[in-house]
Amino acid sequence: MTGKDVMEGQIKRIDLTRDYTAHREAYREAIEKVCRETAFSGGKYADAFDREFAEYVGVPYACGVNNGTSALHLAMLALGVGEGDQVIVPANTYIATAWGVSYTGAEPVFADCRVDTWEIDPEAAEKKITSRTKGIIGVHLYGQPFDYAGIRQVADRHGLFVVEDCAQAHGARFRGRNVGSLGELGCFSFYPGKNLYAFGEGGSVTCKEESYYRHMNRLKNQGCDIRYYHDEIGYNYRLEGLQGAVLSVSLNYLPRWTERRREIGARYEREITNPLFTMQAHPEDTEPVYHLFVVCLEERDRFVRYMEAEGVECNLHYPVPCHLQKAYAYLGGKRGDCPNAEYLADHCVTLPLFPEMREEETDRVIRLCNAFR
Ligand SMILES: *Cc1c(COP(=O)(O)O)cnc(C)c1O
């Protein structure tokens, strides 16, 4: 990369090529090792990453899987969710948070988010509890930890589990504790573009209880502990060796990446002073990791076109809240059910932010935001 593409003014929302270019040798060495040993499916490199990731999160166990959606599915299975059950899920999230519930035959029930943090609102969640509710999945959305204490209180009052969807929040902390170590289970994604990512697909479920870990390990491995003896109907959700090896390399870079994300996020928050923009609130007891930098503004669509004309790529996370997705029309969700999530969907836009973003690119995004009328 040269200064040329900066002069031309193209700024991508995220550019993974810069990471590969910077760490090419380390990545290639890791890949070569797996190939030499043909440790392709599960195996020693996948297991090694599980141990390292558990240590990073601060839990005894991490169960590596083939993607974050499978992580959420396994979490629901391990917690005994099935047909007839309900699980509360925020309306403002990526749809996969709800898929894991649906795959078991249970029903996601969508709860609204708070106006300030844009995270699941404990009060709204409590109102959705019925005799069929088994648990709550909170999402640390855009890298900002949700109000775990508030959700835990609601869950404990009603005897429910709490699962954390940590797909956007590797390394974030709530009251000094890592996300993924708070609830019964924590579900991570290593999709390319997440704060920690594989060269393909990957995911993990972090947990404190050995019985959950053992059960998930069996489920992801075709339902067997001993090869060719299948104790229950299982899945093929194993993490690939190549992904494990690449993730072990990336995990070393994650603290530095997180630092860079925080620096850029802090600059946006300090220097974008245009009163047309509102930003996600970060309560004092949380340490966010800025997976996505989302702002809200009335004339969102005009802003996106304006940035596009300047060569700056912005996108929307997410244009349709879960309760209004066609896939969930059968649940009868309608406009007005989750007004805060609906407002976000209509007004949110994501600014470029990734660890390798250059100062002059950040400057330019800030200038353009402040110049928007
Ligand atoms: C990315 C993501 C997922 C799904 O992860 P995949 O690895 O893409 O299957 C789930 N929940 C949230 C909040 C996500 O951002």
Side-chain angles (χ1 to χ4, degrees):
M1 293 276 167
T2 62
K4 193 162 151 266
D5 38 71
V6 176
M7 263 151 33
E8 282 171 3
Q10 300 293 322
I11 302 177
K12 297 213 294 191
R13 225 282 297 143
I14 176 169
D15 183 356
L16 298 180
T17 64
R18 292 183 193 174
D19 168 43
Y20 184 67
T21 309
H23 301 120
R24 188 186 164 118
E25 282 319 306
Y27 287 132
R28 295 195 139 204
E29 209 175 285
I31 291 166
E32 173 62 25
K33 240 178 1 196
V34 178
C35 293
R36 250 190 338 252
E37 297 171 37
T38 65
F40 291 131
S41 179
K44 103 182 199 203
Y45 294 104
D47 293 345
F49 173 69
D50 280 353
R51 287 192 299 273
E52 292 158 11
F53 192 63
E55 194 187 324
Y56 176 82
V57 172
V59 291
Y61 309 103
C63 179
V65 291
N66 59 342
N67 59 60
T69 307
S70 299
L72 286 151
H73 184 199
L74 281 190
M76 292 304 108
L77 291 171
L79 290 161
V81 172
E83 219 156 303
D85 295 337
Q86 293 181 332
V87 177
I88 295 167
V89 172
N92 176 39
T93 182
Y94 181 59
I95 194 72
T97 308
W99 288 159
V101 177
S102 294
Y103 293 169
T104 69
E107 237 172 49
V109 175
F110 298 107
D112 207 359
C113 55
R114 277 171 45 168
V115 265
D116 54 350
T117 59
W118 306 343
E119 307 282 1
I120 188 166
D121 178 354
E123 254 175 68
E126 188 159 31
K127 289 203 185 98
K128 299 283 179 176
I129 293 171
T130 71
S131 59
R132 292 162 61 197
T133 310
K134 286 290 178 297
I136 304 173
I137 307 180
V139 182
H140 303 298
L141 197 69
Y142 314 141
Q144 167 60 46
F146 67 83
D147 176 10
Y148 178 73
I151 288 292
R152 184 83 259 173
Q153 250 178 18
V154 170
D156 288 349
R157 258 203 299 278
H158 300 271
L160 310 177
F161 66 71
V162 179
V163 164
E164 300 169 74
D165 182 337
C166 308
Q168 307 189 353
H170 319 65
R173 290 201 185 95
F174 179 83
R175 298 191 184 166
R177 288 167 68 197
N178 280 314
V179 303
S181 72
L182 305 163
E184 274 80 344
L185 298 168
C187 300
F188 288 84
S189 163
F190 307 123
Y191 178 80
K194 303 285 164 124
N195 290 37
L196 178 67
Y197 69 95
F199 284 10
E201 309 272 346
S204 186
V205 190
T206 51
C207 70
K208 290 165 282 198
E209 235 184 80
E210 189 180 357
S211 60
Y212 290 146
Y213 173 68
R214 286 195 180 284
H215 190 194
M216 290 188 295
N217 254 339
R218 181 200 297 160
L219 287 169
K220 81 174 184 191
N221 193 27
Q222 307 283 22
C224 66
D225 294 324
I226 301 164
R227 209 169 193 188
Y228 306 127
Y229 293 83
H230 305 273
D231 300 339
E232 62 182 315
I233 293 174
Y235 302 83
N236 179 355
Y237 282 176
R238 290 179 297 255
L239 180 68
E240 293 184 356
L242 283 169
Q243 307 308 340
V246 164
L247 285 162
S248 286
V249 172
S250 315
L251 190 58
N252 297 315
Y253 307 141
L254 182 57
R256 175 69 192 133
W257 288 340
T258 301
E259 202 179 303
R260 275 301 294 151
R261 287 178 179 278
R262 284 178 173 149
E263 283 165 9
I264 299 163
R267 283 204 59 196
Y268 281 163
E269 280 164 353
R270 210 172 40 236
E271 297 176 42
I272 298 175
T273 53
N274 189 335
L276 297 177
F277 291 72
T278 51
M279 296 177 184
Q280 188 177 28
H282 309 297
E284 294 247 298
D285 54 1
T286 63
E287 296 164 62
V289 291
Y290 297 91
H291 172 60
L292 297 173
F293 200 93
V294 176
V295 295
C296 275
L297 73 169
E298 283 301 319
E299 292 197 72
R300 187 264 314 271
D301 296 336
R302 190 163 66 80
F303 177 74
V304 172
R305 288 195 298 274
Y306 157 87
M307 292 298 263
E308 252 168 30
E310 294 286 344
V312 179
E313 183 185 30
C314 294
N315 37 32
L316 311 184
H317 297 92
Y318 296 93
V320 181
C322 296
H323 67 294
L324 300 180
Q325 294 284 358
K326 231 188 254 171
Y328 284 124
Y330 77 95
L331 294 174
K334 55 186 187 316
R335 236 175 207 281
D337 287 351
C338 300
N340 296 337
E342 291 161 25
Y343 180 88
L344 269 165
D346 294 340
H347 299 92
C348 69
V349 52
T350 306
L351 302 179
L353 192 159
F354 53 99
E356 299 80 11
M357 197 171 167
R358 303 185 183 105
E359 287 309 310
E360 61 269 29
E361 291 173 324
T362 313
D363 292 342
R364 180 138 182 276
V365 172
I366 293 167
R367 260 200 322 276
L368 286 168
C369 288
N370 284 334
F372 182 70
R373 291 288 171 266

